Amino acid sequence: MLRYNVRGENIEVTQAIREYVEKKVGKIEKYFNDVPEANAHVNLKTYSDKTAKVEVTVPLPYVVLRAEETSPDLYGSVDLVVDKLERQMRKYKTKINRKNRRTQGVDAPQPTDSDLWADLNMDDDDDLELSASIVRTKRLSLKPMDAEEAVLQMDMLGHNFFIFEDADTNGTSIVYKRNDGKYGLIETD
């Protein structure tokens, strides 16, 4: 079951807005066999140019869902964000199911959600900023996965790189997005 933390910047979060957000974001629960206990962090912002930005982050034990959208209408932004989150879940589940069919065979029993997903725990939702001095530190737990799944995680988080434990070599590896739009892999010894 999702719990909602709805915050507003330059806007008062009314009961009607809160109910609309909970109803719409709650649509992603249909993608889980067992709905996990999780917090959905929703940030609503309005700007002086009459646009509204909605950011949703749902850190789950196996994946971090994150999306943001800006439009002239707050409710429209919520709808766009939910559409984006649903696309992320469909894409992720499809890749996982394809991978399982390839490795287990078509007639093999389908694993549960907890069997499928890698665990990613991040202590801070903010981006890592590097300069001459370190101003923020993030800690994360690396779970074994293959490079394809790491690329998917990176794309879902909206990052340019992703660090993971390679399931084949048990070494730490990094996938990154190249300037040409393709992906690169850095493997450690």
Side-chain angles (χ1 to χ4, degrees):
M1 179 173 158
L2 292 176
R3 293 181 300 274
Y4 298 90
N5 177 9
V6 183
R7 275 188 17 200
E9 293 182 30
N10 301 327
I11 186 173
E12 179 185 343
V13 179
T14 64
Q15 187 63 27
I17 292 172
R18 178 179 295 282
E19 288 173 2
Y20 188 80
V21 166
E22 289 179 6
K23 176 184 171 194
K24 290 295 185 170
V25 175
K27 290 171 79 177
I28 67 170
E29 291 182 8
K30 69 183 177 188
Y31 293 97
F32 303 104
N33 292 338
D34 301 314
V35 180
E37 293 275 331
N39 291 315
H41 303 282
V42 182
N43 196 24
L44 312 171
K45 297 179 186 177
T46 56
Y47 298 103
S48 58
D49 65 352
K50 301 195 192 260
T51 58
K53 180 178 183 180
V54 176
E55 301 171 358
V56 177
T57 305
V58 184
L60 298 169
Y62 42 83
V63 69
V64 177
L65 297 175
R66 186 178 185 294
E68 64 181 59
E69 282 293 335
T70 303
S71 75
D73 175 38
L74 178 68
Y75 291 98
S77 294
V78 171
D79 292 341
L80 292 170
V81 161
V82 170
D83 290 345
K84 193 179 270 190
L85 290 171
E86 285 185 308
R87 277 192 308 273
Q88 288 178 3
M89 285 300 299
R90 280 194 305 272
K91 181 179 177 182
Y92 195 70
K93 282 242 177 183
T94 300
K95 280 201 172 205
I96 294 298
N97 286 335
R98 279 187 193 147
K99 179 181 172 187
N100 282 322
R101 271 185 262 150
R102 245 188 349 254
T103 59
Q104 297 177 351
V106 179
D107 297 329
Q110 293 299 316
T112 65
D113 282 341
S114 58
D115 295 334
L116 295 177
W117 313 86
D119 189 8
L120 174 67
N121 297 315
M122 300 186 93
D123 292 335
D124 192 352
D125 286 335
D126 297 328
D127 291 333
L128 180 64
E129 296 177 13
L130 294 178
S131 63
S133 63
I134 296 174
V135 296
R136 185 170 293 120
T137 301
K138 284 191 172 185
R139 296 196 191 308
L140 55 105
S141 299
L142 302 179
K143 292 291 181 180
M145 63 179 71
D146 60 22
E148 184 178 298
E149 187 174 347
V151 168
L152 183 59
Q153 286 274 349
M154 176 183 68
D155 286 344
M156 289 180 70
L157 290 170
H159 291 173
N160 294 326
F161 70 95
F162 187 81
I163 303 168
F164 67 101
E165 182 181 332
D166 190 304
D168 296 330
T169 66
N170 292 330
T172 302
S173 297
I174 302 169
V175 290
Y176 62 95
K177 187 172 276 193
R178 296 167 37 101
N179 291 335
D180 62 5
K182 297 180 181 173
Y183 300 98
L185 173 66
I186 300 172
E187 296 177 324
T188 59
D189 292 330

